[in-house]
Amino acid sequence: MKALSLFSGGLDSALAVKIIQNQGIEVEGVYVNIGFEANKEKIKDLQKLADNLGIKLTVIDAVNEYIEKILFTPQYGYGKNMNPCIDCHAFFIKKALEYMDKAGAKFIISGEVVGQRPMSQRLPALNAVNKLANANGLVLRPLSAKLLPPTIPELKGWVDREKLYAIRGRDRKMQLQLAKEFNLEGFESPSGGCLLTDINFAKRLKDYHETLPLTPNEIDLLKVGRHFNVEGVKIIISRNKDENPYFKEYKGEVFEIMRTNGFPGPLGAISKNADKNVKQIAADMMVSYTKFDEGEIIIADEIYKGKKRDKKEWAKYLV
């Protein structure tokens, strides 16, 4: 018998794996990548935890599909920012269901806890997730199973319901106690790493979406830099040398990359619909974030002579 685990790298998903493993069931971890993870080392960290648990890890790349079907048109709306949590959880389950036959698995487990998160883990929300995903009783939540209707794995006797739990709410004492019992280490903190819940990232994404199409190529640029909107034109300027690789590695069609010509400074990006007037503003911005009073800025193989101006001038354009 085999189950797929929606594997987030957090304590709850690790506990769900251990609980089901302890019933003699093989578990494979599934991480659905939608592109908005804050942790740059996410896959490496997931693999380390999967190794500690003795499970295979499968990463499903679903960034394009998530952008096209979920991100801007969620059926159940957003949380406080741009986080469509109910639709998102249902999407993860759908992708796991699609993979289930190939993996040779019979059901799916999740580390969700009733009442732990205000939007996606209330009882009505969990019911909505099941309905939206067409889960048909195949999703078992071991940490809160005794608070929920029996699932197919329980009804068919694949899993012993009496060995599952009835955890609810945001208090994590029970989970931490179980972690000690199971000798679990290496899991992520419960603070969450989804950028869609971050107020500043959400502002950038909303502003971006008003004028430009989003593809997976642009997501990394939205994660870094200073962001400006000049007459509907998006301008991004790196804040330090650690951010420059995001600009160097950009492969999309939405932005032109900006760089200094013959002197040290930041890299930048400007949307391709910019006219020469806005490009000149962008050149002045670029020079303003260097130690120099003036210098040449290359934008789409054109050279603009930028002059340093008081950075306060750019405040009105900040996103």
Side-chain angles (χ1 to χ4, degrees):
M1 182 63 63
K2 182 177 181 179
L4 295 182
S5 170
L6 295 178
F7 198 60
S8 69
L11 172 57
D12 293 340
S13 69
L15 287 172
V17 170
K18 288 296 292 185
I19 292 165
I20 297 305
Q21 283 180 322
N22 286 347
Q23 296 206 27
I25 296 170
E26 180 187 355
V27 178
E28 178 177 338
V30 173
Y31 176 69
V32 182
N33 177 28
I34 59 171
F36 294 96
E37 170 60 47
N39 179 7
K40 297 177 185 178
E41 303 295 324
K42 182 68 174 184
I43 304 303
K44 185 185 296 184
D45 291 344
L46 284 172
Q47 187 61 64
K48 184 176 180 180
L49 181 58
D51 291 342
N52 289 342
L53 291 166
I55 65 172
K56 176 184 176 182
L57 173 66
T58 295
V59 178
I60 297 175
D61 187 344
V63 182
N64 265 315
E65 186 178 354
Y66 185 78
I67 291 172
E68 292 173 4
K69 296 181 179 180
I70 306 296
L71 182 57
F72 299 115
T73 55
Q75 185 172 328
Y76 284 89
Y78 299 101
K80 290 183 179 179
N81 296 299
M82 285 287 287
N83 46 311
C85 294
I86 292 176
D87 293 74
C88 195
H89 282 229
F91 181 73
F92 293 163
I93 291 170
K94 283 181 180 179
K95 301 311 294 181
L97 286 168
E98 290 172 6
Y99 175 64
M100 199 162 63
D101 285 345
K102 181 178 179 180
K106 293 293 187 182
F107 63 100
I108 295 166
I109 63 172
S110 167
E112 292 162 300
V113 171
V114 171
Q116 187 178 88
R117 297 187 184 275
M119 183 176 181
S120 62
Q121 293 183 16
R122 297 171 295 108
L123 275 171
L126 293 176
N127 291 333
V129 167
N130 288 340
K131 183 177 179 181
L132 191 58
N134 293 317
N136 299 319
L138 288 173
V139 178
L140 171 65
R141 298 172 172 92
L143 293 169
S144 293
K146 289 183 178 179
L147 301 172
L148 302 168
T151 57
I152 288 175
E154 296 161 272
L155 293 171
K156 291 198 171 185
W158 303 340
V159 171
D160 184 350
R161 183 175 173 87
E162 291 306 309
K163 295 179 180 179
L164 304 177
Y165 293 82
I167 302 173
R168 72 161 70 234
R170 305 186 72 175
D171 189 333
R172 299 172 62 80
K173 288 180 181 177
M174 184 62 180
Q175 287 98 308
L176 292 172
Q177 180 181 325
L178 287 173
K180 287 183 179 180
E181 291 178 14
F182 295 150
N183 197 27
L184 270 177
E185 295 179 348
F187 49 85
E188 290 184 328
S189 69
S191 57
C194 179
L195 287 168
L196 298 174
T197 66
D198 181 89
I199 187 170
N200 293 316
F201 184 85
K203 283 174 62 179
R204 294 177 177 184
L205 181 58
K206 287 177 183 176
D207 177 77
Y208 178 95
H209 184 57
E210 287 177 2
T211 55
L212 296 170
L214 182 68
T215 77
N217 293 301
E218 286 71 53
I219 293 175
D220 278 347
L221 287 184
L222 290 176
K223 296 177 182 179
V224 299
R226 304 174 183 89
H227 288 241
F228 306 90
N229 188 324
V230 181
E231 300 174 13
V233 175
K234 187 80 170 178
I235 297 170
I236 308 172
I237 298 175
S238 68
R239 290 173 294 196
N240 53 58
K241 64 180 182 180
D242 292 334
E243 293 185 342
N244 284 346
Y246 289 90
F247 296 81
K248 291 178 182 178
E249 295 165 9
Y250 176 67
K251 304 295 184 184
E253 300 294 329
V254 176
F255 286 106
E256 302 280 7
I257 298 303
M258 305 186 294
R259 65 184 188 276
T260 56
N261 187 26
F263 67 103
L267 291 178
I270 183 169
S271 48
K272 288 187 176 181
N273 61 336
D275 60 26
K276 288 187 176 294
N277 178 58
V278 177
K279 286 180 180 178
Q280 182 60 58
I281 291 173
D284 291 343
M285 282 182 174
M286 289 276 285
V287 173
S288 298
Y289 288 103
T290 73
K291 297 178 181 179
F292 301 89
D293 292 327
E294 59 182 35
E296 293 182 342
I297 304 298
I298 300 175
I299 306 175
D301 296 326
E302 298 175 337
I303 294 179
Y304 289 79
K305 293 183 178 180
K307 291 186 178 182
K308 178 175 284 189
R309 290 155 63 177
D310 190 334
K311 293 176 187 176
K312 292 180 181 178
E313 289 191 43
W314 314 131
K316 61 185 176 183
Y317 300 123
L318 273 171
V319 175

